[in-house]
Each structure stands twice: as C-alpha cells, then as structure tokens.
Amino acid sequence: MPADPLHRAGSPQRSTTSPPPSGSGASAIEVRRSTRRRRTVSAYREGDRTVVLIPARMSEAEEQRWVTVMLDKLAAQENKRVLGDAELTERAERLSVQYFDGRARPTSVRWVTNQNTRWGSCTPSEGSIRLSHRLQGMPEYVVDYVLVHELAHLLVPGHGPRFWQLLEAYPRTERARGYLEGVVAADRLPHLPAARDE
C-alpha cells in the first residue's frame, strides 16, 4: 500500500480539528502536523481548544494514540492534587471492595521515591503496597489501575493466567497500560524544546 502523501516528510503542514472526547473540558482538539517536527509531540490549551503538535509523517493510528496520551497528560497537569498515603489506602480499600469483593486487604499502601523502574510493587506476605511517586499527578484511572494490579498480587502473587483474569475486572486496564507505555516511550524520545508556533 503506498504511503499517504499527507504523511510524507516534506509535505506542507496540515491541521485538523475534531470534537473532543466526551467528558473533556475543551470544546475541540486541533492536531497540527509539521514537517519541521521530527519526533516530539506536545500539546497545550488555546482558549477553549486543545492543540496537539505532531510530526507530519505520523500515521493516523499514531496520531489518535498520541492525542489520547497528550489529553491525559494535560488533564493530569491540570489536576495535580496529590493523594496522601491515608487517602491512597482508602482508595485501595474501595477498589478492593469494588473489584475483588474486599478479599484483597492491604496492611499498608504508600508512595515511595525509590522505584524508578516500576510503577508499583507488592509484598504479599506483609500485605504492603508501594506506588512510585512518578504516578503522582497522572490521571486517576491510571493510579487506580496500578492499585488494582498490586491488590491482585495480594490474591495471586505471580503474573500467571489467574492474575490477568483478576485484572479483567478493571474496565480501564488496556487504556491505563497504553497510557503508561506512552509515558515510557515519551521518556525515551529526545527532549527538545517544543516551539508553540509550529
């Protein structure tokens, strides 16, 4: 299948506007493609619209994925309220009741600053759950996914089929995993300053 001429490097800048996903605060999302932009993706609010800047050669599927990631990042930045350990524990208890009939009972749930390669960890023998401070400020459904993941480890220690079957109860598992994968991928991109006028 030949490449879409709108996505070829060197093509003129293209801008598309679409309605926002339901529940978003902005009235429209404008995607601006730029031939000058090579790898970075950025987004900002401009009045009642969200502008997402992407490389011109990005596929439609990549565009959709990055728009979702950037909307989530903006929402997280705008809702930077950080839960304390007590609130985190209450949230874990509510999630356990909601998804595991209260069977996953953590003895402690807390933020830690020494987990830079994991989003969370659990010691089933102690009933302790630790979440990486890097999750602070991310969308609630992402923090909830990591909590549900660690709560499931209180019931099934490994990552076998029974464990993944438990996680199916949480309806935003795939979206949260995609968000976290996007964060990891974005961290691997070169951090060049993004020009707002592209």
Side-chain angles (χ1 to χ4, degrees), residues 9 14 27 33-34 48 55-57 64 85-86 90 94 100 104 108 115 123 128-129 143 154 161 165 182 190-191:
R14 181 170 70 102
S27 65
R33 291 176 172 268
S34 170
D48 64 349
R57 65 176 176 237
Q64 289 176 0
D85 289 349
E90 288 172 19
R94 278 196 315 272
F100 305 125
S108 70
Q115 289 191 109
T123 306
S128 62
I129 293 175
V143 176
L154 293 176
Q165 188 175 13
H191 293 282

Side-chain angles (χ1 to χ4, degrees), residues 19-49:
S22 58
S24 120
S27 65
I29 300 161
E30 181 177 342
V31 177
R32 294 181 187 166
R33 291 176 172 268
S34 170
T35 56
R36 293 181 299 177
R37 187 174 284 272
R38 296 284 178 233
R39 297 174 72 175
T40 60
V41 176
S42 63
Y44 60 92
R45 303 279 191 215
E46 188 176 79
D48 64 349
R49 81 178 49 219

Side-chain angles (χ1 to χ4, degrees), residues 118-164:
R118 301 179 193 195
W119 296 113
S121 62
C122 173
T123 306
S125 61
E126 297 173 3
S128 62
I129 293 175
R130 294 158 306 280
L131 296 191
S132 172
H133 71 287
R134 296 177 304 140
L135 289 164
Q136 293 174 340
M138 288 190 187
E140 286 184 9
Y141 75 89
V142 175
V143 176
D144 285 353
Y145 163 73
V146 177
L147 279 171
V148 169
H149 183 108
E150 300 309 332
L151 286 166
H153 278 309
L154 293 176
L155 304 173
V156 178
H159 285 107
R162 278 186 57 230
F163 172 82
W164 294 111

Side-chain angles (χ1 to χ4, degrees), residues 16-194:
T16 58
T17 303
S18 60
S22 58
S24 120
S27 65
I29 300 161
E30 181 177 342
V31 177
R32 294 181 187 166
R33 291 176 172 268
S34 170
T35 56
R36 293 181 299 177
R37 187 174 284 272
R38 296 284 178 233
R39 297 174 72 175
T40 60
V41 176
S42 63
Y44 60 92
R45 303 279 191 215
E46 188 176 79
D48 64 349
R49 81 178 49 219
T50 302
V51 178
V52 181
L53 307 169
I54 65 173
R57 65 176 176 237
M58 211 175 252
S59 71
E60 293 294 327
E62 288 174 311
E63 174 183 316
Q64 289 176 0
R65 184 176 66 82
W66 276 107
V67 165
T68 299
V69 167
M70 298 311 288
L71 287 175
D72 286 341
K73 277 188 144 184
L74 283 174
Q77 289 168 1
E78 291 164 356
N79 302 317
K80 278 268 189 202
R81 186 173 108 54
V82 176
L83 298 174
D85 289 349
E87 293 170 303
L88 203 57
T89 300
E90 288 172 19
R91 191 175 195 143
E93 289 167 356
R94 278 196 315 272
L95 291 167
S96 175
V97 168
Q98 186 174 357
Y99 296 108
F100 305 125
D101 298 320
R103 292 178 297 134
R105 295 188 185 108
T107 56
S108 70
V109 183
R110 62 192 172 91
W111 296 108
V112 294
T113 57
N114 62 351
Q115 289 191 109
N116 294 314
T117 58
R118 301 179 193 195
W119 296 113
S121 62
C122 173
T123 306
S125 61
E126 297 173 3
S128 62
I129 293 175
R130 294 158 306 280
L131 296 191
S132 172
H133 71 287
R134 296 177 304 140
L135 289 164
Q136 293 174 340
M138 288 190 187
E140 286 184 9
Y141 75 89
V142 175
V143 176
D144 285 353
Y145 163 73
V146 177
L147 279 171
V148 169
H149 183 108
E150 300 309 332
L151 286 166
H153 278 309
L154 293 176
L155 304 173
V156 178
H159 285 107
R162 278 186 57 230
F163 172 82
W164 294 111
Q165 188 175 13
L166 281 175
L167 273 192
E168 287 176 8
Y170 184 64
R172 300 181 90 178
T173 292
E174 288 307 312
R175 184 170 182 204
R177 286 173 59 95
Y179 181 92
L180 293 171
E181 287 169 7
V183 169
V184 170
D187 283 345
R188 291 184 181 144
L189 291 172
H191 293 282
L192 301 173

